[in-house]
Amino acid sequence: MSIPGPNDPVAMKTPKRKRAPSVAKAAVPAAVARVADTQLLETIVAEREADLDATMPVPALVEPEASAVAIETAPVDKAPEPIVTLPSNSAVKDAAALKAALIKVVGLPVTVSLDARSVERVDTATLQLLYAFVRDRAQRKLAVEWLGCPKALIESSRLLGVHTMLGLPAVGVA
């Protein structure tokens, strides 16, 4: 038996390997479908939570943490009107607490009072949250009442051009 040489036709043919089908290509449509299903589920859950938050009663009194936002209600003999109290130094570090308090009362069918009497400083993040809250309440045809509007709040809102959109009075009232 002889060993095939380089010019031998048998030696020149090398077997072709069959490639296995790519797992990544087959898995991509399934992964995209799972992501789409997950996003749809998250959207549905968020909407349901928003509906539940809108229908849940406001607690009688929430104990404020240090520099946190407080939510109170009016006396029992009247219809409960929630009051969201802004901290004296309303900065971005307090924005999460303020957002949580505003979300709890945004859909309530009663007038929501924003107590700003103790505000000494207010930053852009706080004014953006307040604007979003007032805008959402106005779109739902629900009222917002300001309890005191210190000079710091008036000046900051004017600088940002949201003074009239927030429904603040022309001059500060402490």
Side-chain angles (χ1 to χ4, degrees), residues 60 73-81:
T73 57
V76 178
D77 60 336
K78 298 166 87 180
E81 291 186 7

Side-chain angles (χ1 to χ4, degrees), residues 114-125:
L114 298 175
D115 185 357
R117 291 178 279 205
S118 66
V119 173
E120 295 172 2
R121 292 183 58 187
V122 61
D123 69 353
T124 303

